[in-house]
Amino acid sequence: MTLRELRIFICSFGALLALSACSSEYAAIANLPGRATVTMSVTPMFGFHSDWNRELTIGDGDSTASIDLFKDTGWWCGSDVYLHKSGTYVVHEGQIGCFGFTLDPSSFDVRTSISCIKATDIATRLSAEGSKFRGYPASKFYSGLFYVGRFVETGRVPELREARSETPIFFQTHEQQAEPELPEIL
């Protein structure tokens, strides 16, 4: 490599680093009853594929709380949102498990014990069919949870792949898409 080629390479690499530092933030919003919302924000990580820094913000209309989520380095299949029969909301991340939050006031400090282990017996799954809680259908996979919807990458939904550059993530309600099965917790 000549000195000129090395300078071009270094300048190009520097320009690429500078551009990655100016990355955009994208957000998808789930509207819950009343004035409550759940927002997932993502900012691209440095790379050539869809790796994200992710943050979840909850709001009840008067207060908000935010939490940083595990960085997505290619494993993320979506984050499903559920309502537990106790009234606690649950975000299930598939292989890395789940966590809860409450509204009024907005908080991630949840005292309710909630299991995110898949129901293995067919009787549990069949008893959930047709059951609803506050308008949300019972989960086909988890006892005591009712499916609200999911945050997902646009590229994972075939009919929306072309919109990926403008809207890389979005929230899909239970009315738009039936509950998908997430990978097992590790």
Side-chain angles (χ1 to χ4, degrees), residues 54-68:
R54 302 177 307 129
E55 178 183 65
L56 194 78
T57 302
I58 56 173
D60 62 9
D62 294 321
S63 64
T64 62
S66 295
I67 187 171
D68 286 331

Side-chain angles (χ1 to χ4, degrees), residues 29-127:
I29 300 172
N31 293 308
L32 301 177
R35 300 181 310 160
T37 59
V38 180
T39 304
M40 181 174 289
S41 302
V42 296
T43 51
M45 295 171 67
F46 180 73
F48 297 105
H49 50 300
S50 59
D51 292 345
W52 306 105
N53 291 307
R54 302 177 307 129
E55 178 183 65
L56 194 78
T57 302
I58 56 173
D60 62 9
D62 294 321
S63 64
T64 62
S66 295
I67 187 171
D68 286 331
L69 300 174
F70 283 98
K71 291 176 182 0
D72 164 35
T73 55
W75 60 268
W76 187 51
C77 292
S79 298
D80 290 3
V81 179
Y82 294 92
L83 178 59
H84 185 259
K85 61 186 174 188
S86 68
T88 298
Y89 285 91
V90 175
V91 175
H92 199 312
E93 296 260 282
Q95 294 175 332
I96 60 170
C98 66
F99 61 92
F101 65 89
T102 58
L103 299 167
D104 198 22
S106 302
S107 175
F108 291 101
D109 184 22
V110 176
R111 310 224 184 259
T112 305
S113 176
I114 298 170
S115 173
C116 290
I117 305 297
K118 283 185 184 173
T120 55
D121 64 338
I122 198 77
T124 301
R125 290 185 180 191
L126 289 174
S127 69

